Structures are given as structure tokens and as C-alpha cells.
């Protein structure tokens, strides 16, 4: 099952985000939003960081993936994915 297939077909509630953080599949899962249901998420493992966003008409999609290796630190991956999500959200709002 892919990352996107494992998410419910709606934004995540805070307790669901907490559950994802307890899962063995991810080292870290954080919402980009400060409050309310999470519509933009950052997922991190030892090998990669992914940014995912939810749209009412399309569901969840991976907006950015960054490989974490000797040349890229996790924090750089998190920042790149967050920037990609914010850009994606801005583009979505302009339509």
C-alpha cells in the first residue's frame, strides 16, 4: 500500500496525525498548518522526506519527494517539501 492509499479520503484530525507519528513506517509526520484538520503533511524516514497535500476534488497527492543521503540532510528535505506544498497551495488558490 502506498503512502497516499494509506491516508483517509479527507484532511487528518490531530489524533490521526499523532497515530501516524507512532507508526513504525515513519520517523516523523507533521502538519504544515498550525490549526484545524491537516491538509498538508510532511512525512520523513531515514531515506526520504515527502510532502503531501489534500484537495477536495482530487484527494491526497505527493507534491514533493526528497531523498535523504550524504548530500542532503533531513532538515533540508523538510524545508524543500514545505516550500513545494506552500507553492502548490498558492497555485491552487489562484485557480
Amino acid at each position: 500500500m502506498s503512502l497516499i492509499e494509506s491516508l483517509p479520503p479527507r484532511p487528518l484530525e490531530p489524533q490521526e496525525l499523532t497515530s501516524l507519528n507512532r507508526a513504525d513506517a515513519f520517523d516523523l509526520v507533521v502538519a504544515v498548518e498550525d490549526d484545524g484538520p491537516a491538509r498538508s503533511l510532511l512525512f520523513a524516514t531515514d531515506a526520504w522526506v515527502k510532502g503531501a497535500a489534500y484537495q477536495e476534488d482530487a484527494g491526497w497527492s505527493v507534491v514533493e519527494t526528497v531523498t535523504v543521503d550524504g548530500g542532503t540532510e533531513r532538515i533540508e528535505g523538510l524545508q524543500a517539501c514545505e516550500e513545494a506544498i506552500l507553492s502548490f497551495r498558492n497555485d491552487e488558490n489562484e485557480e
Side-chain angles (χ1 to χ4, degrees):
M1 180 183 300
S2 75
L3 170 67
I4 297 304
E5 291 171 344
S6 68
L7 296 173
R10 57 176 168 64
L12 295 183
E13 296 299 326
Q15 62 272 24
E16 292 171 309
L17 192 59
T18 300
S19 293
L20 281 174
N21 270 299
R22 290 185 183 140
D24 291 336
F26 310 109
D27 293 338
L28 175 71
V29 182
V30 294
V32 174
E33 297 86 7
D34 291 332
D35 58 354
R39 300 174 54 83
S40 304
L41 301 170
L42 300 173
F43 294 86
T45 69
D46 287 339
W48 51 258
V49 176
K50 293 182 185 280
Y54 179 80
Q55 295 175 287
E56 292 296 328
D57 59 339
W60 288 99
S61 59
V62 174
V63 175
E64 182 71 74
T65 300
V66 176
T67 301
V68 176
D69 56 22
T72 304
E73 298 287 328
R74 181 186 291 174
I75 188 69
E76 295 169 324
L78 288 166
Q79 291 169 336
C81 287
E82 182 177 21
E83 289 172 14
I85 286 172
L86 294 175
S87 176
F88 176 81
R89 289 285 178 220
N90 285 336
D91 290 348
E92 179 183 54
N93 290 332
E94 291 175 4
E95 293 177 2

